[in-house]
Amino acid sequence: MKLSPSILSANFANLAEEVKAVEGVAHFLHFDVMDGHFVPNLTFGPLVVNALRRCSSLPFDIHLMIERPALYAPRFQVGPEDVITFHVEAKDPQEAIQVIRRLGCKVGISLKPGTPLSAIKPYLAQVDWVLVMSVEPGFGGQKFMPEALDRIRKLRKLIGARPVTIAVDGGINPGNVRQVVEAGAEVIVAGSAVFGAPDPRAAAEKLIQASHA
Ligand code: DX5
Ligand code: ZN
């Protein structure tokens, strides 16, 4: 399992130190970009994400919960190790894929818990990564929706032999991470379980341990 801690639950008054704390333990850093339209919350955008490059050598996993991904994706500085994920429910998924692909990073697609898996089927051959939401997007610290487990298993089958990574986001903690990985998740996003803990580095280690315990 690879761990992608979400800074949404970090101390925003000290982001640089928070990000450094998980260096060498985490495999990605997850950034929840929200526009107040696609989800009922506002967070941060490219200015903050790009600035944090100076504090981390981890690949960036940028989760766009925004209405117009094709318009804003080019504002993020990315390389081949990074991934930009947009939502299939947002405007013009096909254009988003083309725009993100041209940036030279990995292309991720995500879907809300209420969106049928069939919605991403037409795009599966064009993406590198699928982010399964196991909470309603918008806020950290929500409870894991157990229906996500079945969805991960179905997605695994749908992907077949294609080189597509399954990431899962929302409500994951040391108590349920193993189930999520056993269902087929390769990347685990965790916000409150890492940055909500008093020692984020130890919490990240614990989560990785629990995934194969
Ligand atoms: C929710 C975000 C998540 C969130 C996860 O909209 O996409 O990445 O930070 O936080 P936890 O792990 O606390 O559910
Ligand atoms: Zn996220």
Side-chain angles (χ1 to χ4, degrees):
M1 167 278 240
K2 289 190 170 159
L3 181 63
S4 190
S6 164
I7 66 154
L8 191 59
S9 295
N11 173 9
F12 276 69
N14 198 6
L15 273 186
E17 290 308 314
E18 294 274 73
V19 159
K20 283 178 195 156
V22 296
E23 190 88 12
V25 175
H27 305 87
F28 295 90
L29 269 183
H30 186 87
F31 294 93
D32 289 305
V33 177
M34 304 185 191
D35 66 355
H37 293 280
F38 186 76
V39 287
N41 198 8
L42 280 167
T43 54
F44 48 79
L47 273 180
V48 170
V49 177
N50 294 342
L52 285 169
R53 289 283 181 189
R54 292 194 292 276
C55 310
S56 178
S57 59
L58 290 173
F60 279 16
D61 158 21
I62 302 167
H63 180 191
L64 300 181
M65 283 161 275
I66 65 176
E67 206 55 63
R68 306 185 65 186
L71 182 63
Y72 293 104
R75 313 237 181 132
F76 295 89
Q77 291 162 9
V78 286
E81 303 307 317
D82 305 312
V83 49
I84 296 183
T85 298
F86 69 96
H87 268 262
V88 70
E89 305 89 353
K91 279 203 174 70
D92 209 341
Q94 191 55 62
E95 193 192 356
I97 290 175
Q98 277 150 5
V99 168
I100 298 169
R101 182 63 72 204
R102 260 185 264 129
L103 300 175
C105 64
K106 296 188 189 111
V107 181
I109 192 166
S110 185
L111 70 174
K112 295 180 178 184
T115 302
L117 217 43
S118 58
I120 62 164
K121 224 173 154 183
Y123 308 110
L124 268 187
Q126 306 171 60
V127 300
D128 306 297
W129 173 292
V130 178
L131 180 68
V132 175
M133 292 308 301
S134 41
V135 298
E136 204 55 58
F139 299 90
Q142 302 180 77
K143 199 175 165 297
F144 181 82
M145 300 168 79
E147 309 89 272
L149 295 172
D150 201 40
R151 174 169 277 222
I152 299 163
R153 287 184 209 109
K154 289 200 173 109
L155 176 62
R156 187 82 271 168
K157 281 202 192 115
L158 206 58
I159 287 173
R162 291 190 189 99
V164 177
T165 300
I166 300 181
V168 183
D169 185 4
I172 302 174
N173 57 50
N176 61 18
V177 66
R178 194 166 161 199
Q179 275 181 294
V180 182
V181 169
E182 279 174 0
E186 297 158 284
V187 175
I188 295 293
V189 177
S192 46
V194 174
F195 289 112
D199 182 344
R201 188 178 187 85
E205 278 165 353
K206 187 176 166 192
L207 207 45
I208 293 169
Q209 205 67 47
S211 75
H212 46 69

